[in-house]
Amino acid sequence: MWHITQKIIDKVGSALCKDTDFLTRFNTIVWDSDLEPFEFEEKWQKLISDFQLEDNDWLSTMFTDRKHWILAYHRDLPMGYILRTTQRSKSANSFSSDYVTVTPLLYHCYIIQMLLCPCHIITRFQTAMDQQRYTQSPDYYDNDHSLPNLDTNIHLEKHGAIVYTHAVFKMFQEEVKAAISCGVADFDKEENLRIIFVEEAE
């Protein structure tokens, strides 16, 4: 599955993948372990028809070999869901990162499935976790191997670029830029307190 999904863009063309919902539909079909085989075949044929890919030899070969890689054909195996190996988290999830959504309803469904088939739910949960980790892995790499761009020469901003992740630093940077546009407007004293009034410069 992982190797096949790696090739899909090259085999059908980057324009089709970029300008249409082909990838989303493709991944929804091939990763859905709840489909019956006949449902998969119907959805596959409709996908091929909708995007006029009847003459694509590679897709035709993949459909011919569908029983070797499509999850729908392994539903009856006791450990069929294990076919979603951790390789899936290495790249295939880049095509389907929007496919799994955790909702309260989904959570309750997971609890019910856990009671009925613990092995099934544990495997599906692990797959979802692998997907989430892969989706976030580019951010981890950027945080470990680069520093974000600075907008000022203020030491505080430089320090923030080192200690914060890129995502958090962007929020911090906005606060820094807002702060440097402010200045001291007035002073006051109340007993042992010194009060400083700060306002944004015009």
Side-chain angles (χ1 to χ4, degrees):
M1 180 76 82
W2 180 74
H3 293 288
I4 290 171
T5 54
Q6 279 289 282
K7 297 177 182 178
I8 189 66
I9 293 179
D10 291 335
K11 297 299 183 180
V12 303
S14 58
L16 179 67
C17 296
K18 179 180 179 182
D19 300 333
T20 71
D21 64 345
F22 173 80
L23 274 183
T24 300
R25 289 180 57 185
F26 176 84
N27 282 286
T28 299
I29 294 171
V30 301
W31 285 111
D32 191 348
S33 58
D34 294 325
L35 287 178
E36 294 285 351
F38 77 90
E39 293 176 313
F40 162 77
E41 293 174 10
E42 289 176 354
K43 290 178 179 291
W44 178 279
Q45 296 297 350
K46 188 172 190 321
L47 179 69
I48 297 300
S49 175
D50 288 349
F51 291 95
Q52 301 177 349
L53 294 168
E54 292 87 352
D55 296 330
N56 187 295
D57 293 336
W58 184 79
L59 286 173
S60 297
T61 301
M62 292 300 98
F63 183 74
T64 301
D65 294 337
R66 60 192 179 280
K67 293 183 180 179
H68 298 293
W69 66 284
I70 292 297
L71 298 177
Y73 294 92
H74 301 277
R75 288 165 52 95
D76 296 332
L77 295 178
M79 298 299 287
Y81 289 99
I82 298 298
L83 291 172
R84 302 192 213 186
T85 67
T86 53
Q87 284 182 317
R88 178 182 175 189
S89 68
K90 294 179 181 177
S91 185
N93 286 335
S94 63
F95 299 110
S96 56
S97 59
D98 294 330
Y99 179 59
V100 175
T101 303
V102 178
T103 65
L105 178 60
L106 182 59
Y107 174 77
H108 292 303
C109 289
Y110 276 167
I111 297 301
I112 293 171
Q113 290 184 20
M114 175 68 85
L115 296 174
L116 297 176
C117 181
C119 179
H120 170 80
I121 186 59
I122 290 171
T123 304
R124 294 193 65 154
F125 178 77
Q126 184 61 51
T127 300
M129 293 303 297
D130 288 343
Q131 175 176 322
Q132 186 176 32
R133 291 188 187 101
Y134 179 79
T135 302
Q136 296 174 348
S137 61
D139 294 332
Y140 292 136
Y141 181 87
D142 289 342
N143 291 333
D144 292 340
H145 296 87
S146 66
L147 290 176
N149 295 325
L150 301 178
D151 288 342
T152 72
N153 290 321
I154 297 175
H155 178 73
L156 182 63
E157 185 187 19
K158 294 178 181 178
H159 180 68
I162 296 172
V163 299
Y164 292 132
T165 64
H166 286 220
V168 173
F169 176 75
K170 287 181 181 178
M171 296 185 287
F172 170 76
Q173 190 175 47
E174 291 301 316
E175 296 298 324
V176 170
K177 289 190 292 185
I180 63 175
S181 66
C182 297
V184 176
D186 199 3
F187 294 93
D188 198 0
K189 281 188 176 183
E190 289 185 6
E191 297 181 356
N192 295 327
L193 296 178
R194 186 181 184 190
I195 302 173
I196 301 174
F197 296 93
V198 177
E199 64 182 27
E200 187 174 3
E202 296 182 1

